[in-house]
Amino acid sequence: MAVKVLVVDDSSFFRRRVSEILEQDSGIEVIGFAVNGREAVDKTAQLRPDVITMDVEMPVLDGISAVKEIMASNPTPILMFSSLTRAGASATLDALDAGAMDFLPKKFEDIARNNDDAIKLLQNKVKEIGRQRNGRIIRAPAAPSLKPAPSTSERFAHKPIVQPDRSFKSASPTPSSSTSTRASGKQYQLIAIGTSTGGPVALQTILTQLPANFPHPILLIQHMPAAFTPAFATRLDSLCKIKVKEAQQGDRLQPGCAYLAPGGQQMMVEGRGSNRTLRVFEDKNERVSYKPSVDITFASVAKAYQGDVLAIILTGMGADGRDGARMLKQTGATIWAQDEKSCVVYGMPQAVASAGLANENIGLHDVAARLKREVGFG
């Protein structure tokens, strides 16, 4: 059955363009259009689409306000379109806060190497999040701000992302295969976390529960455009007891600090022992689909740390992280995968689990407690 889509944008050109792209795929059917947020709310109730594509900036009722109303009245998976600007990053994070499931840059040339790749990415995202309508309920409780209130100029980057209950995910959940509650007793030197769709909420859920004196550095690889990662790192840092920063070339890895891979670049660990530092660079290899790539970071971690690593694969489309997890596993590293029940999109964790690489499959809201226990905090 085709995924039914409502396209929302005040630009007739963009509505037509999105519609033409989506309907090139026989698995997608555009069932209606809306020219502003108010009309989007009304047509969602009338047409009951499987997916909504939504612009952020619109007259009458803006996209973020429309998302809030839709999620309160007729919860539906929403894919936001955003500009790649500082303000656009702010608005996108606010849209995720309001309940949107994922986002794409409005300029398609910013999301892929060529037009064909951009078209396929949009089609695949719509189909993937459309499948979630009869999936699982995701609940992410609010995380209190743990640092002083930001200034007016910084406020856009400090609002916590809190996903509402998604009642469109009503099917019976698949039980988690994680039954162990005891620490393994293994010693670690590094935590590495890879994620994509649904990752901003998942990362916030985990990181806000970690203590300031967390004993290891943490690497974060989140599929996200370059314009977004500075705002996301700043927002996480404002909410967490640990320090969170966007990774920079030459950063020396410190305990109690999380390093977010910059969008559009690759992040690797170089060196051994106390001389380990981060290498951050532009990757011009056209065969590499993700920038940042979980596989590339994990591969470097396997070389630098051998088996003294706990790697975690969270919600996301595709299979990025599977090959890197395999390399880590061969060195003796521990691999955790988020369970299907708590994923927004069970792609990346499924790829790892199906390959037999996951030591455990763990629910999102259990990860922080398990992680603290595993490294000796509780």
Side-chain angles (χ1 to χ4, degrees):
M1 182 179 294
V3 175
K4 301 184 188 310
V5 181
L6 173 65
V7 176
V8 184
D9 200 289
D10 60 324
S11 165
S12 60
F13 169 78
F14 198 75
R15 291 196 305 272
R16 183 172 63 253
R17 188 183 187 198
V18 170
S19 176
E20 289 172 351
I21 289 174
L22 294 179
E23 293 205 313
Q24 290 177 30
D25 192 310
S26 60
I28 301 173
E29 178 187 0
V30 176
I31 60 171
F33 301 91
V35 301
N36 58 60
R38 176 54 56 205
E39 191 172 331
V41 174
D42 295 340
K43 287 204 171 182
T44 299
Q46 174 190 346
L47 300 175
R48 299 287 179 161
D50 297 317
V51 176
I52 301 168
T53 67
M54 180 92 71
D55 190 18
V56 172
E57 298 180 5
M58 294 184 294
V60 184
L61 187 70
D62 65 85
I64 296 169
S65 299
V67 170
K68 292 177 180 177
E69 290 198 23
I70 290 168
M71 295 308 293
S73 58
N74 294 289
T76 306
I78 299 173
L79 176 67
M80 302 298 296
F81 285 109
S82 172
S83 62
L84 290 182
T85 63
R86 184 178 177 92
S90 168
T92 301
L93 292 172
D94 287 341
L96 295 175
D97 177 20
M101 183 173 282
D102 204 355
F103 64 92
L104 283 175
K106 200 164 187 178
K107 290 183 179 180
F108 290 170
E109 58 267 29
D110 290 327
I111 62 176
R113 294 185 296 270
N114 57 59
N115 192 54
D116 290 341
D117 287 346
I119 288 171
K120 186 59 64 177
L121 177 59
L122 174 57
Q123 292 169 342
N124 288 344
K125 275 191 178 285
V126 166
K127 289 190 292 186
E128 186 64 45
I129 68 174
R131 296 189 185 104
Q132 309 307 310
R133 187 170 180 88
N134 295 315
R136 297 154 301 280
I137 296 174
I138 302 298
R139 294 184 174 90
S145 180
L146 299 171
K147 295 187 178 179
S151 66
T152 301
S153 63
E154 296 175 320
R155 186 176 57 214
F156 81 92
H158 290 254
K159 187 176 181 183
I161 302 170
V162 183
Q163 292 285 37
D165 289 357
R166 288 193 168 111
S167 58
F168 57 83
K169 297 185 173 185
S170 57
S172 298
T174 302
S176 168
S177 63
S178 175
T179 57
S180 173
T181 58
R182 294 183 180 179
S184 67
K186 183 176 179 177
Q187 298 298 308
Y188 300 98
Q189 295 188 57
L190 179 77
I191 311 300
I193 305 176
T195 186
S196 182
T197 306
V201 173
L203 289 174
Q204 179 182 300
T205 300
I206 295 167
L207 298 178
T208 53
Q209 298 182 61
L210 302 184
N213 59 342
F214 190 79
H216 308 299
I218 304 172
L219 300 185
L220 308 175
I221 309 96
Q222 162 74 59
H223 294 166
M224 188 173 273
F228 287 59
T229 45
F232 184 45
T234 301
R235 182 176 294 206
L236 286 175
D237 186 60
S238 74
L239 298 170
C240 296
K241 294 176 182 176
I242 63 169
K243 179 178 176 58
V244 182
K245 70 184 298 286
E246 186 180 43
Q248 295 178 304
Q249 171 65 23
D251 275 345
R252 191 173 297 276
L253 298 179
Q254 300 293 332
C257 184
Y259 302 83
L260 178 68
Q265 300 186 69
Q266 301 296 358
M267 178 176 71
M268 299 176 65
V269 178
E270 294 185 322
R272 293 291 181 90
S274 60
N275 294 319
R276 295 187 185 98
T277 59
L278 291 180
R279 180 188 174 205
V280 176
F281 63 99
E282 293 188 11
D283 188 348
K284 297 182 179 180
N285 186 344
E286 294 188 354
R287 293 179 295 178
V288 177
S289 299
Y290 302 107
K291 300 174 184 179
S293 164
V294 181
D295 281 331
I296 287 175
T297 301
F298 277 16
S300 73
V301 166
K303 182 177 180 180
Y305 285 91
Q306 298 297 303
D308 299 332
V309 178
L310 172 55
I312 307 172
I313 295 291
L314 301 176
T315 175
M317 288 177 59
D320 187 25
R322 177 181 56 198
D323 293 342
R326 181 176 289 111
M327 295 180 69
L328 281 167
K329 189 79 169 181
Q330 290 171 350
T331 69
T334 299
I335 312 294
W336 290 354
Q338 185 176 345
D339 70 0
E340 182 178 7
K341 180 175 86 170
S342 64
C343 280
V344 171
V345 176
Y346 188 55
M348 290 165 60
Q350 182 182 38
V352 169
S354 296
L357 301 172
N359 294 84
E360 295 190 54
N361 300 292
I362 303 177
L364 174 60
H365 294 284
D366 295 327
V367 173
R370 289 294 315 280
L371 178 55
K372 287 185 288 186
R373 189 177 303 119
E374 184 72 6
V375 300
F377 280 84

